[in-house]
Each structure stands twice: as C-alpha cells, then as structure tokens.
Coordinates of all heavy atoms in Angstrom, one line a residue:
M1 N 222.4 12.8 -44.6 CA 222.5 13.5 -46.0 C 222.2 12.4 -47.1 O 221.7 12.8 -48.0 CB 223.9 13.9 -46.1 CG 224.2 15.0 -45.1 SD 224.3 16.6 -45.8 CE 225.9 16.7 -46.6
G2 N 222.6 11.2 -46.8 CA 222.5 10.2 -47.9 C 221.2 10.1 -48.7 O 221.2 10.1 -49.9
A3 N 220.1 10.1 -47.9 CA 218.8 9.9 -48.6 C 218.5 11.0 -49.6 O 217.8 10.8 -50.5 CB 217.7 9.8 -47.5
L4 N 219.0 12.3 -49.3 CA 218.7 13.3 -50.2 C 219.7 13.5 -51.3 O 219.6 14.3 -52.2 CB 218.6 14.6 -49.4 CG 217.4 14.8 -48.4 CD1 217.6 16.0 -47.6 CD2 216.2 14.8 -49.3
A5 N 220.9 12.8 -51.2 CA 222.0 13.1 -52.1 C 221.7 12.8 -53.5 O 222.3 13.6 -54.5 CB 223.1 12.2 -51.7
S6 N 220.8 12.0 -53.9 CA 220.5 11.7 -55.3 C 219.5 12.6 -56.0 O 219.2 12.5 -57.1 CB 220.2 10.3 -55.5 OG 218.9 10.0 -54.8
T7 N 218.9 13.5 -55.2 CA 217.8 14.3 -55.7 C 218.5 15.3 -56.7 O 219.6 15.7 -56.5 CB 216.9 15.0 -54.7 OG1 217.9 16.0 -54.0 CG2 216.3 14.0 -53.7
S8 N 217.6 15.9 -57.6 CA 218.1 16.9 -58.4 C 217.4 18.2 -58.3 O 217.5 19.1 -59.1 CB 218.1 16.5 -59.9 OG 216.7 16.2 -60.2
L9 N 216.7 18.3 -57.2 CA 215.9 19.6 -56.9 C 217.0 20.7 -56.5 O 217.8 20.5 -55.7 CB 214.9 19.4 -55.8 CG 213.9 18.4 -56.1 CD1 213.1 18.0 -54.9 CD2 212.9 19.0 -57.2
R10 N 216.7 21.8 -57.1 CA 217.7 23.0 -56.9 C 218.2 23.2 -55.5 O 219.4 23.2 -55.3 CB 217.1 24.3 -57.5 CG 217.0 24.3 -59.0 CD 216.1 25.3 -59.4 NE 214.9 25.1 -58.6 CZ 213.8 25.9 -58.6 NH1 213.8 27.0 -59.4 NH2 212.7 25.7 -57.9
A11 N 217.3 23.6 -54.6 CA 217.7 24.0 -53.3 C 218.5 22.8 -52.6 O 219.3 23.1 -51.7 CB 216.6 24.3 -52.6
E12 N 218.2 21.6 -52.9 CA 218.8 20.5 -52.2 C 220.3 20.2 -52.7 O 220.9 19.4 -52.2 CB 218.0 19.3 -52.3 CG 216.7 19.4 -51.4 CD 215.7 18.5 -51.7 OE1 215.8 17.5 -52.3 OE2 214.5 18.7 -51.1
E13 N 220.7 21.0 -53.7 CA 222.0 20.9 -54.1 C 223.0 21.8 -53.3 O 224.1 21.7 -53.3 CB 222.2 21.4 -55.6 CG 221.3 20.7 -56.6 CD 221.9 19.4 -57.0 OE1 223.2 19.2 -56.8 OE2 221.2 18.5 -57.4
D14 N 222.3 22.7 -52.6 CA 223.1 23.7 -51.8 C 223.8 23.0 -50.6 O 223.2 22.1 -50.0 CB 222.3 24.7 -51.3 CG 221.8 25.7 -52.5 OD1 222.5 25.7 -53.4 OD2 220.7 26.3 -52.3
P15 N 225.1 23.3 -50.3 CA 225.7 22.8 -49.2 C 225.2 23.2 -47.8 O 224.5 24.3 -47.7 CB 227.2 23.2 -49.3 CG 227.0 24.5 -50.1 CD 225.8 24.3 -51.0
L16 N 225.3 22.4 -46.8 CA 224.8 22.8 -45.4 C 225.9 23.9 -44.9 O 227.0 23.7 -45.1 CB 225.0 21.5 -44.6 CG 224.2 21.4 -43.3 CD1 222.6 21.5 -43.5 CD2 224.5 20.1 -42.6
I17 N 225.2 24.8 -44.3 CA 226.1 25.9 -43.6 C 226.8 25.2 -42.5 O 226.3 24.4 -41.8 CB 225.2 27.1 -43.2 CG1 226.1 28.2 -42.8 CG2 224.2 26.8 -42.1 CD1 226.1 29.5 -43.6
A18 N 228.0 25.6 -42.2 CA 228.8 25.2 -41.2 C 228.5 26.1 -39.9 O 228.4 27.3 -40.0 CB 230.3 25.2 -41.4
E19 N 228.5 25.4 -38.7 CA 228.3 26.3 -37.4 C 229.4 27.3 -37.3 O 229.2 28.4 -36.7 CB 228.2 25.4 -36.3 CG 227.0 24.6 -36.1 CD 226.9 23.8 -34.9 OE1 228.0 23.7 -34.2 OE2 225.8 23.2 -34.5
N20 N 230.6 27.0 -37.8 CA 231.7 28.0 -37.6 C 231.9 28.9 -38.8 O 232.8 29.7 -38.8 CB 232.9 27.3 -37.3 CG 233.4 26.4 -38.4 OD1 232.8 26.3 -39.6 ND2 234.5 25.7 -38.3
D21 N 230.9 29.0 -39.7 CA 230.8 30.0 -40.7 C 230.7 31.3 -40.1 O 229.8 31.4 -39.2 CB 229.7 29.7 -41.7 CG 229.6 30.6 -42.9 OD1 229.3 31.8 -42.6 OD2 229.8 30.2 -44.0
P22 N 231.3 32.4 -40.5 CA 231.2 33.7 -39.9 C 229.8 34.2 -39.8 O 229.3 34.7 -38.9 CB 232.1 34.6 -40.7 CG 233.1 33.7 -41.4 CD 232.5 32.4 -41.5
V23 N 229.1 33.9 -40.9 CA 227.6 34.4 -41.0 C 226.8 33.6 -40.1 O 225.9 34.1 -39.4 CB 227.1 34.3 -42.5 CG1 225.6 34.8 -42.4 CG2 227.9 35.0 -43.4
A24 N 227.0 32.3 -39.9 CA 226.3 31.4 -38.9 C 226.6 31.9 -37.6 O 225.7 31.9 -36.7 CB 226.7 30.0 -39.2
K25 N 227.8 32.1 -37.3 CA 228.2 32.5 -36.0 C 227.6 33.8 -35.6 O 227.2 34.1 -34.4 CB 229.7 32.7 -35.8 CG 230.5 31.4 -35.7 CD 232.0 31.8 -35.4 CE 232.6 30.5 -34.7 NZ 234.1 30.9 -34.6
A26 N 227.5 34.7 -36.5 CA 226.9 36.1 -36.2 C 225.4 36.0 -35.7 O 225.0 36.9 -35.0 CB 226.9 37.0 -37.5
V27 N 224.7 35.0 -36.1 CA 223.4 34.8 -35.7 C 223.2 33.5 -34.8 O 222.1 33.1 -34.5 CB 222.3 34.6 -36.9 CG1 222.2 35.9 -37.7 CG2 222.8 33.4 -37.8
K28 N 224.4 33.0 -34.2 CA 224.4 32.0 -33.3 C 223.7 30.7 -33.8 O 223.2 30.0 -33.0 CB 223.8 32.4 -31.9 CG 224.3 33.6 -31.4 CD 223.6 33.9 -30.0 CE 224.1 35.3 -29.3 NZ 223.4 35.5 -28.2
Y29 N 223.9 30.4 -35.0 CA 223.3 29.2 -35.6 C 223.9 28.0 -35.0 O 225.2 27.8 -34.8 CB 223.5 29.3 -37.1 CG 223.1 27.9 -37.8 CD1 221.8 27.5 -37.9 CD2 224.1 27.0 -38.2 CE1 221.5 26.3 -38.5 CE2 223.9 25.8 -38.8 CZ 222.4 25.5 -38.9 OH 222.2 24.2 -39.4
V30 N 223.1 27.0 -34.7 CA 223.6 25.7 -34.2 C 222.7 24.6 -35.0 O 221.6 24.9 -35.5 CB 223.3 25.4 -32.7 CG1 224.2 26.3 -31.9 CG2 221.8 25.7 -32.4
E31 N 223.3 23.5 -35.3 CA 222.6 22.4 -36.0 C 221.6 21.6 -35.1 O 220.8 21.0 -35.6 CB 223.6 21.4 -36.6 CG 224.5 22.0 -37.6 CD 225.4 21.0 -38.3 OE1 225.6 19.8 -37.8 OE2 225.9 21.2 -39.4
D32 N 221.7 21.7 -33.8 CA 220.9 21.0 -32.9 C 220.2 22.1 -31.9 O 220.9 22.4 -30.9 CB 221.6 19.9 -32.2 CG 220.7 19.2 -31.2 OD1 219.5 19.6 -31.0 OD2 221.2 18.1 -30.7
A33 N 218.9 22.5 -32.2 CA 218.3 23.5 -31.4 C 218.3 23.1 -29.9 O 218.2 23.9 -29.1 CB 217.0 23.8 -32.0
T34 N 218.2 21.8 -29.6 CA 218.1 21.3 -28.2 C 219.3 21.6 -27.4 O 219.3 21.5 -26.2 CB 217.7 19.9 -28.2 OG1 218.8 19.1 -28.7 CG2 216.5 19.5 -28.9
K35 N 220.4 21.9 -28.1 CA 221.6 22.2 -27.3 C 221.8 23.6 -26.8 O 222.6 23.9 -26.0 CB 222.9 21.9 -28.2 CG 223.0 20.4 -28.5 CD 224.4 20.2 -29.0 CE 224.5 18.6 -29.1 NZ 225.5 18.4 -30.3
V36 N 220.8 24.5 -27.1 CA 220.9 25.9 -26.7 C 219.6 26.3 -26.0 O 218.5 26.1 -26.7 CB 221.2 26.9 -27.9 CG1 222.8 26.8 -28.2 CG2 220.4 26.8 -29.1
K37 N 219.7 26.8 -24.8 CA 218.4 27.2 -24.1 C 217.8 28.3 -24.8 O 216.5 28.3 -24.8 CB 218.9 27.5 -22.6 CG 219.2 26.6 -21.7 CD 219.1 26.9 -20.3 CE 219.4 25.8 -19.4 NZ 220.4 26.1 -18.4
E38 N 218.5 29.2 -25.4 CA 217.9 30.3 -26.0 C 216.8 29.9 -27.1 O 216.0 30.8 -27.4 CB 219.0 31.1 -26.8 CG 219.8 31.9 -25.9 CD 221.0 32.4 -26.7 OE1 222.0 31.7 -26.9 OE2 220.9 33.6 -27.3
S39 N 216.9 28.7 -27.7 CA 216.0 28.4 -28.7 C 214.6 28.2 -28.2 O 213.6 28.2 -28.9 CB 216.5 27.1 -29.4 OG 216.3 26.0 -28.5
E40 N 214.5 27.9 -26.9 CA 213.1 27.8 -26.4 C 212.2 26.9 -27.1 O 210.9 27.2 -27.2 CB 212.5 29.2 -26.2 CG 213.2 30.1 -25.2 CD 212.7 31.6 -25.2 OE1 211.9 31.9 -26.1 OE2 213.1 32.3 -24.2
G41 N 212.7 25.8 -27.6 CA 211.9 24.8 -28.2 C 211.7 25.1 -29.7 O 211.1 24.3 -30.4
N42 N 212.2 26.4 -30.1 CA 212.0 26.7 -31.6 C 213.1 26.0 -32.4 O 214.2 25.8 -31.9 CB 212.0 28.2 -31.7 CG 210.9 28.9 -31.0 OD1 209.8 28.4 -30.9 ND2 211.2 30.0 -30.2
R43 N 212.8 25.8 -33.7 CA 213.9 25.2 -34.6 C 213.6 25.8 -36.0 O 212.5 26.4 -36.3 CB 213.8 23.7 -34.5 CG 212.5 23.1 -34.2 CD 212.6 21.7 -34.1 NE 212.7 20.9 -35.3 CZ 213.0 19.6 -35.4 NH1 213.5 19.0 -34.4 NH2 213.1 19.1 -36.6
C44 N 214.5 25.5 -36.9 CA 214.5 26.0 -38.2 C 213.2 25.6 -39.0 O 212.6 26.4 -39.6 CB 215.6 25.6 -39.0 SG 217.2 26.4 -38.5
D45 N 212.7 24.4 -38.8 CA 211.5 24.0 -39.5 C 210.2 24.6 -39.0 O 209.1 24.4 -39.5 CB 211.5 22.5 -39.7 CG 211.4 21.7 -38.4 OD1 211.4 22.3 -37.4 OD2 211.4 20.4 -38.5
T46 N 210.3 25.4 -38.0 CA 209.2 26.2 -37.5 C 209.4 27.7 -37.6 O 208.7 28.5 -37.0 CB 208.8 25.9 -36.0 OG1 209.9 26.3 -35.1 CG2 208.4 24.4 -35.8
C47 N 210.4 28.0 -38.4 CA 210.8 29.5 -38.6 C 210.3 30.0 -39.9 O 210.3 29.3 -40.9 CB 212.3 29.5 -38.6 SG 213.0 31.2 -39.0
S48 N 209.9 31.2 -39.9 CA 209.2 31.8 -41.1 C 210.3 32.1 -42.2 O 210.0 32.2 -43.4 CB 208.6 33.1 -40.8 OG 209.5 34.1 -40.3
L49 N 211.6 32.0 -41.9 CA 212.7 32.2 -42.9 C 213.1 30.8 -43.5 O 213.9 30.9 -44.4 CB 213.8 32.9 -42.2 CG 213.5 34.3 -41.7 CD1 214.7 34.9 -40.9 CD2 213.1 35.3 -42.8
Y50 N 212.5 29.8 -43.0 CA 213.0 28.4 -43.5 C 212.3 28.2 -44.8 O 211.0 28.3 -44.8 CB 212.7 27.4 -42.4 CG 213.1 26.0 -42.7 CD1 214.4 25.6 -42.8 CD2 212.2 25.0 -42.9 CE1 214.8 24.3 -43.1 CE2 212.5 23.7 -43.1 CZ 213.9 23.3 -43.2 OH 214.3 22.0 -43.6
T51 N 212.9 27.6 -45.7 CA 212.2 27.3 -47.0 C 212.3 25.8 -47.4 O 211.9 25.4 -48.5 CB 212.9 28.1 -48.3 OG1 214.3 27.8 -48.3 CG2 212.7 29.5 -47.9
G52 N 212.7 24.9 -46.4 CA 212.8 23.5 -46.7 C 211.4 22.9 -46.7 O 210.4 23.5 -46.3
K53 N 211.4 21.7 -47.3 CA 210.1 21.0 -47.4 C 209.7 20.3 -46.0 O 210.7 19.9 -45.3 CB 210.2 19.9 -48.4 CG 210.3 20.4 -49.8 CD 210.1 19.2 -50.8 CE 210.7 19.5 -52.1 NZ 211.5 18.3 -52.6
D54 N 208.5 20.1 -45.9 CA 208.0 19.4 -44.7 C 208.6 18.1 -44.6 O 208.6 17.4 -45.7 CB 206.5 19.3 -44.7 CG 205.8 20.5 -44.4 OD1 206.4 21.5 -44.0 OD2 204.5 20.6 -44.6
G55 N 209.2 17.7 -43.5 CA 209.7 16.3 -43.4 C 211.1 16.2 -43.8 O 211.8 15.1 -43.6
A56 N 211.7 17.2 -44.5 CA 213.1 17.1 -44.9 C 214.0 17.4 -43.7 O 213.6 18.0 -42.8 CB 213.4 18.1 -46.0
S57 N 215.2 16.7 -43.7 CA 216.2 17.0 -42.7 C 216.9 18.3 -42.7 O 217.4 18.7 -41.8 CB 217.1 15.8 -42.5 OG 217.9 15.8 -43.7
Q58 N 216.9 18.9 -43.8 CA 217.5 20.2 -44.0 C 216.9 20.9 -45.2 O 216.2 20.3 -45.9 CB 219.0 20.0 -44.3 CG 219.4 19.2 -45.5 CD 220.9 18.8 -45.5 OE1 221.3 18.3 -44.6 NE2 221.5 19.3 -46.5
G59 N 217.2 22.2 -45.2 CA 216.5 23.0 -46.3 C 217.1 24.4 -46.3 O 217.9 24.7 -45.5
G60 N 216.6 25.3 -47.2 CA 217.0 26.5 -47.3 C 216.6 27.5 -46.2 O 215.6 27.3 -45.5
C61 N 217.3 28.6 -46.1 CA 217.0 29.7 -45.1 C 217.2 30.9 -45.8 O 218.3 31.1 -46.4 CB 217.9 29.5 -43.9 SG 217.8 31.0 -42.9
Q62 N 216.3 31.9 -45.7 CA 216.4 33.2 -46.3 C 217.6 34.0 -46.0 O 218.0 34.9 -46.7 CB 215.1 33.9 -46.2 CG 214.1 33.4 -46.9 CD 212.7 34.0 -46.7 OE1 212.6 35.3 -46.8 NE2 211.6 33.3 -46.4
I63 N 218.2 33.8 -44.7 CA 219.4 34.6 -44.4 C 220.7 33.9 -44.8 O 221.7 34.6 -44.7 CB 219.4 35.0 -42.9 CG1 219.5 33.7 -42.0 CG2 218.1 35.7 -42.6 CD1 219.8 34.1 -40.6
F64 N 220.7 32.7 -45.2 CA 221.9 32.0 -45.7 C 221.6 31.6 -47.2 O 221.3 30.5 -47.5 CB 222.1 30.8 -44.9 CG 222.4 31.0 -43.5 CD1 221.6 30.4 -42.5 CD2 223.4 31.9 -43.0 CE1 222.0 30.5 -41.2 CE2 223.6 32.1 -41.7 CZ 222.9 31.3 -40.8
K65 N 222.0 32.6 -48.1 CA 221.8 32.4 -49.6 C 222.7 31.3 -50.0 O 223.9 31.4 -49.7 CB 222.0 33.7 -50.3 CG 221.1 34.8 -50.0 CD 219.7 34.6 -50.6 CE 218.8 35.7 -50.2 NZ 217.4 35.4 -50.4
G66 N 222.1 30.4 -50.7 CA 223.0 29.3 -51.4 C 223.5 28.3 -50.4 O 224.3 27.5 -50.7
K67 N 222.9 28.3 -49.2 CA 223.3 27.2 -48.2 C 222.0 26.7 -47.6 O 221.0 27.3 -47.7 CB 224.1 27.9 -47.1 CG 225.5 28.5 -47.5 CD 226.5 27.4 -47.5 CE 227.8 27.8 -48.2 NZ 228.6 28.8 -47.3
Q68 N 222.2 25.5 -46.9 CA 221.1 25.0 -46.3 C 221.3 25.0 -44.8 O 222.4 25.1 -44.4 CB 220.9 23.4 -46.8 CG 220.5 23.4 -48.2 CD 219.8 22.1 -48.5 OE1 219.6 21.2 -47.7 NE2 219.6 22.0 -49.8
V69 N 220.2 24.8 -44.1 CA 220.3 24.7 -42.6 C 219.6 23.3 -42.1 O 218.8 22.9 -42.9 CB 219.6 25.9 -41.9 CG1 220.4 27.2 -42.1 CG2 218.1 26.0 -42.2
K70 N 219.9 22.9 -41.0 CA 219.3 21.7 -40.5 C 217.8 22.0 -40.0 O 217.6 23.1 -39.4 CB 220.0 21.2 -39.3 CG 221.3 20.5 -39.7 CD 221.2 19.1 -40.2 CE 222.4 18.4 -40.1 NZ 222.2 17.1 -40.8
A71 N 216.9 21.2 -40.4 CA 215.5 21.4 -39.9 C 215.4 21.4 -38.4 O 214.6 22.3 -37.9 CB 214.7 20.2 -40.4
A72 N 216.3 20.7 -37.7 CA 216.4 20.7 -36.3 C 217.2 21.8 -35.8 O 217.6 21.8 -34.5 CB 216.9 19.3 -35.8
G73 N 217.9 22.7 -36.5 CA 218.7 23.8 -36.1 C 217.9 24.9 -35.6 O 216.7 24.9 -35.5
W74 N 218.8 25.9 -35.3 CA 218.1 27.2 -34.8 C 219.2 28.3 -34.9 O 220.4 28.0 -34.8 CB 217.8 27.0 -33.3 CG 217.3 28.2 -32.6 CD1 216.0 28.7 -32.6 CD2 218.1 29.2 -31.9 NE1 216.0 29.9 -31.8 CE2 217.3 30.2 -31.4 CE3 219.5 29.3 -31.5 CZ2 217.8 31.3 -30.7 CZ3 219.9 30.3 -30.8 CH2 219.1 31.4 -30.4
C75 N 218.7 29.5 -34.9 CA 219.6 30.7 -34.8 C 218.9 31.8 -34.2 O 217.6 31.8 -34.0 CB 220.2 31.1 -36.2 SG 219.2 32.3 -37.1
A76 N 219.5 32.9 -33.9 CA 219.0 34.0 -33.1 C 218.0 34.8 -33.9 O 217.3 35.7 -33.4 CB 220.1 34.9 -32.5
S77 N 218.0 34.6 -35.3 CA 217.0 35.3 -36.1 C 215.7 34.6 -36.2 O 214.9 34.9 -37.1 CB 217.7 35.5 -37.5 OG 218.8 36.4 -37.4
W78 N 215.6 33.5 -35.5 CA 214.3 32.7 -35.6 C 213.1 33.6 -35.6 O 213.0 34.5 -34.7 CB 214.2 31.7 -34.5 CG 213.0 30.8 -34.6 CD1 213.0 29.6 -35.3 CD2 211.7 31.0 -34.1 NE1 211.6 29.1 -35.2 CE2 210.9 29.9 -34.5 CE3 211.1 32.0 -33.3 CZ2 209.5 29.9 -34.1 CZ3 209.8 31.9 -32.9 CH2 209.0 30.9 -33.3
A79 N 212.1 33.4 -36.4 CA 210.9 34.2 -36.4 C 209.7 33.4 -36.6 O 209.7 32.4 -37.4 CB 210.9 35.2 -37.5
P80 N 208.6 33.6 -35.8 CA 207.4 32.7 -36.0 C 206.8 32.8 -37.3 O 206.8 33.8 -38.0 CB 206.5 33.3 -34.9 CG 207.0 34.7 -34.6 CD 208.4 34.7 -35.0
Q81 N 206.2 31.6 -37.7 CA 205.5 31.6 -38.9 C 204.1 32.2 -38.7 O 203.5 32.0 -37.7 CB 205.4 30.1 -39.5 CG 206.6 29.5 -39.9 CD 206.6 27.9 -40.0 OE1 205.7 27.3 -39.5 NE2 207.6 27.4 -40.8
M82 N 203.6 32.8 -39.8 CA 202.3 33.5 -39.6 C 201.1 32.5 -39.9 O 201.3 31.6 -40.7 CB 202.2 34.7 -40.6 CG 203.1 35.8 -40.1 SD 202.7 36.5 -38.5 CE 204.3 36.9 -37.9
Ligands
SF4_10 FE1 216.9 28.6 -38.9 FE2 215.2 30.6 -39.1 FE3 217.7 31.0 -38.2 FE4 217.2 30.4 -40.8 S1 216.6 32.2 -39.7 S2 218.9 29.5 -39.4 S3 215.6 29.0 -40.6 S4 216.1 29.6 -37.2

C-alpha cells in the first residue's frame, strides 16, 4: 500500500474491501486469486469490471462502489474483458 499512499488521485483514496465484508463474501472475493481453484487463473486485473490502472497493485471494481480490490484478487463475478 505504501507506494500509492501519497497519491491524490480519486479512486486511489478508496479503502480496500475486506474479504470478510458481507458484499465481498456474497461474491466469494479473495485478495489472492491463486488461493482458489475456481478462479481458473483469472484475476481482478483481467476482469471487465476492474477499473484500476495497468500495473497498480489495487484499483476500483464496478461492483464494490467506493472500495478497491487487489489486482491479484478474484471473485465469482469475474467477467472477461472484450
Ligand atoms: Fe475482481 Fe472482477 Fe470480482 Fe471486481 S468483479 S472483485 S474486478 S473479479
């Protein structure tokens, strides 16, 4: 988190969603996609709902308003980028 902490870009001010947040749990969100077989190699930074920047360690997700997700995370709502 440290490297991004000093930025003033809007989305990067949002807190990271917790795995035990009820909304996160509802879609089986995890911070490390490699820990769940269901992810099948997919992760947040290859998901069409992810709004983080290329190369960032975390970023926004359209299903978690006002929160960020880990680039290396995953959830059951993963959808391919077109
Ligand atoms: Fe990650 Fe996509 Fe799920 Fe959002 S919808 S948490 S970007 S896999």
Side-chain angles (χ1 to χ4, degrees):
M1 296 251 282
L4 290 173
S6 63
T7 65
S8 59
L9 297 167
R10 288 160 312 178
E12 287 164 13
E13 302 283 335
D14 291 336
L16 201 59
I17 187 113
E19 286 182 348
N20 63 3
D21 181 290
V23 184
K25 279 186 156 176
V27 291
K28 303 183 184 176
Y29 169 74
V30 290
E31 292 189 341
D32 183 352
T34 64
K35 289 194 176 153
V36 286
K37 282 198 181 127
E38 285 170 276
S39 68
E40 298 176 341
N42 299 318
R43 33 186 277 164
C44 291
D45 60 4
T46 61
C47 173
S48 63
L49 299 172
Y50 183 68
T51 60
K53 288 193 205 131
D54 286 352
S57 63
Q58 60 191 61
C61 163
Q62 292 175 46
I63 66 170
F64 297 125
K65 297 283 181 202
K67 296 276 172 71
Q68 294 198 6
V69 296
K70 289 280 194 187
W74 174 87
C75 89
S77 294
W78 184 89
Q81 292 171 338
M82 291 299 149

